[in-house]
Amino acid sequence: MSTLPQERRVVTAIPGPKSQELQSRRTASVAAGVGSVMPVFAARADGGIVEDVDGNRFIDFGSGIAVTTVGASAEAVVRRASAQLADFTHTCFMVTPYEGYVEVAEQLAELTPGDHAKKSALFNSGAEAVENAVKIARAYTKRTAVVVFDHGYHGRTNLTMALTSKNMPYKQGFGPFAPEVYRVPVAYGYRWPTGAENAGAEASAQAIDQINKQIGAENVAAIIIEPVLGEGGFIEPAKGFLPAIRQFASDNGIVFVADEIQSGFCRTGQWFACEDEGIVPDLITTAKGIAGGLPLSAVTGRAEIMDAAHSGGLGGTYGGNPVACAGALGAIETMRELDLNAKAKRIEAVMKPRLTAMQEKFDIIGDVRGRGAMIAIELVKSGTKEPHPEATAQIAKACHAEGVLVLTTGTYGNVVRFLPPLVIGEELLTDGLDVLEAAFAAL
Ligand SMILES: *Cc1c(COP(=O)(O)O)cnc(C)c1O
């Protein structure tokens, strides 16, 4: 755990000389397909700050893509994971089980929506959790088809590439993809042809019609949706959409899977984003924020569905690693003790009015959306809804140069997203927004 000063500081050109040196070693030794948002190498990170090897301190508006919700060196995560490291690093849960895994499963049963009997299985990555949710749903329903949505993102493995909607950079050249995956419309309010107020009803009707006509509801094992679409551009499905799809799944014996890998664990001001519309999923996939940065993911859901896979059918060498489980227990402890749901709502209360005021000043900001500490702005060409990815890249670059780490996203590459650690101080938040506003003014 560091004692990193919580202030922005730019002391070199970005990237600085040490980062540049590391970048040339990286270029020579790391595969080109693995990209980075900026060529700056981390030395320490804590609270709302990432410090690089040249001593620059960046305000963290990314949390390593919604992972370090509790900070990147949270006391309880470091304490519990360090103690576990000293006891043992691995036995393999499938060989010699240990308490931490069971405790994480118990916590997941308690925290996820619904008061039915629940069970969990633990894995390493988000993609692995989604793959296993599909395996479990197929075993339970004895059906094969999987329904996903426009703008959805579910990972980079073969099956999850098939589930992911965007071609570049995730799929281009990497096929053929897994079969029996079907994509239907989602209620993207800002871009819905007849307006946001109609999007929920019309998009759900279209999605359901396509499932009935093109697949046959009786062939569908699972419907998988992100309650707030992450890589698609922080799209909150318009009101009424999620309940309609959830109801359709119930009526047709389809397993409804909420992919809360990005939106879960306090990110939106609830333990899970689907709670905002009272949705109780059959299965829920979690990862990212779950373990304070240690690699862990889970599928949690109705006990009778989770138990449909035969013994030995689920698992993996490292799944539910004991150090990662200890990290998760530390992260959950932190979320409870610091009431990070309230912190997420407070971040929204600071960010949204500032961003809305910027939208009135700068007409390339077409939309401000999201909730909690999962907030985004969508950039368009003035007076149109035409996506403006060039301006988006310029804004991000300008923020990086001034010591603010922002990420971009969206199907059209025209969304700036804000995912600060929930433990970020309010002064850093405001300072980061000042830098963003100056970047728009200078554009
Ligand atoms: C990041 C993400 C995944 C994939 O998680 P990995 O750990 O990168 O495999 C899946 N679904 C959603 C919604 C995500 O945001």
Side-chain angles (χ1 to χ4, degrees):
M1 206 174 356
S2 67
T3 49
L4 197 53
Q6 295 294 297
E7 61 190 17
R8 179 170 64 97
R9 184 175 82 167
V10 179
V11 293
T12 70
I14 304 295
K18 287 183 180 157
S19 276
Q20 285 182 36
E21 203 182 308
L22 284 166
Q23 179 67 9
S24 58
R25 282 171 55 197
R26 174 227 174 110
T27 305
S29 60
V30 178
V34 185
S36 293
V37 169
M38 55 176 188
V40 151
F41 284 72
R44 298 191 291 171
D46 189 29
I49 292 286
V50 176
E51 187 179 77
D52 76 5
V53 288
D54 291 290
N56 299 298
R57 294 192 186 123
F58 293 85
I59 298 177
D60 185 6
F61 278 180
S63 298
I65 318 186
V67 170
T68 52
T69 300
V70 296
S73 45
E75 187 278 330
V77 174
V78 175
R79 170 171 40 82
R80 286 183 182 246
S82 305
Q84 180 57 52
L85 264 174
D87 285 344
F88 59 94
T89 55
H90 174 87
T91 58
C92 187
F93 194 76
M94 301 182 304
V95 177
T96 313
Y98 37 87
E99 185 178 357
Y101 188 118
V102 178
E103 227 178 313
V104 170
E106 289 168 349
Q107 291 288 329
L108 284 163
E110 189 183 321
L111 295 172
T112 53
D115 48 19
H116 48 276
K118 290 175 209 156
K119 291 194 177 182
S120 289
L122 305 185
F123 305 97
N124 304 290
S125 69
E128 216 185 337
V130 175
E131 292 235 1
N132 278 280
V134 172
K135 283 168 67 171
I136 293 162
R138 283 175 171 162
Y140 177 70
T141 59
K142 305 190 167 57
R143 305 170 179 179
T144 54
V146 178
V147 171
V148 288
F149 293 84
D150 288 337
H151 308 288
Y153 179 86
H154 302 287
R156 296 171 178 267
T157 58
N158 187 266
L159 174 57
T160 59
M161 275 193 293
L163 301 174
T164 288
S165 120
K166 190 177 177 179
N167 180 51
M168 268 304 274
Y170 305 123
K171 303 165 78 162
Q172 176 66 33
F174 299 145
F177 305 111
E180 285 305 301
V181 173
Y182 301 87
R183 193 176 319 288
V184 298
V186 75
Y188 187 169
Y190 178 65
R191 294 194 174 277
W192 194 254
T194 58
E197 65 283 6
N198 301 315
E202 290 181 11
S204 56
Q206 285 182 17
I208 288 166
D209 188 59
Q210 288 185 16
I211 295 168
N212 283 326
K213 295 296 186 302
Q214 298 178 17
I215 317 165
E218 70 276 19
N219 298 314
V220 178
I223 296 177
I224 309 178
I225 190 161
E226 302 158 83
V228 179
L229 285 78
E231 304 303 303
F234 286 21
I235 301 163
E236 298 172 89
K239 235 184 166 33
F241 183 82
L242 288 172
I245 300 296
R246 205 283 162 261
Q247 188 60 47
F248 174 78
S250 299
D251 294 345
N252 291 279
I254 299 168
V255 176
F256 181 93
V257 183
D259 181 350
E260 293 250 17
I261 287 168
Q262 191 157 164
S263 57
F265 281 104
C266 307
R267 180 51 56 188
T268 64
Q270 303 277 7
W271 282 99
F272 297 97
C274 62
E275 293 171 55
D276 278 321
E277 275 191 284
I279 305 284
V280 177
D282 298 314
L283 299 182
I284 183 165
T285 53
T286 53
K288 294 199 165 95
I290 192 174
L294 289 150
L296 187 73
S297 68
V299 184
T300 301
R302 292 183 190 281
E304 69 275 17
I305 300 177
M306 291 298 297
D307 282 341
H310 51 274
S311 176
L314 306 177
T317 306
Y318 294 115
N321 169 272
V323 181
C325 286
L329 296 171
I332 292 167
E333 176 188 321
T334 308
M335 289 171 196
R336 287 186 200 275
E337 280 187 1
L338 302 182
D339 192 0
L340 291 189
N341 281 320
K343 285 280 292 178
K345 291 203 165 91
R346 177 68 198 149
I347 288 168
E348 176 180 343
V350 172
M351 292 196 92
K352 271 256 181 101
R354 277 294 302 272
L355 295 170
T356 306
M358 286 185 219
Q359 184 183 21
E360 277 156 26
K361 265 169 84 175
F362 308 110
D363 62 0
I364 67 166
I365 303 180
D367 196 23
V368 177
R369 59 176 179 254
R371 41 190 205 264
M374 190 172 183
I375 306 276
I377 50 179
E378 176 160 359
L379 305 195
V380 292
K381 305 210 163 129
S382 301
T384 73
K385 284 194 176 179
E386 198 187 325
H388 205 335
E390 301 81 15
T392 310
Q394 272 177 284
I395 290 289
K397 203 162 177 235
C399 288
H400 297 165
E402 291 300 320
V404 179
L405 210 174
V406 295
L407 308 177
T408 60
T409 189
T411 298
Y412 312 108
N414 66 328
V415 173
V416 184
R417 59 171 154 177
F418 308 101
L419 291 163
L422 301 183
V423 294
I424 194 170
E426 216 156 299
E427 278 168 31
L428 281 186
L429 208 53
T430 307
D431 186 25
L433 288 164
D434 290 345
V435 169
L436 179 76
E437 182 158 3
F440 273 105
L443 197 68

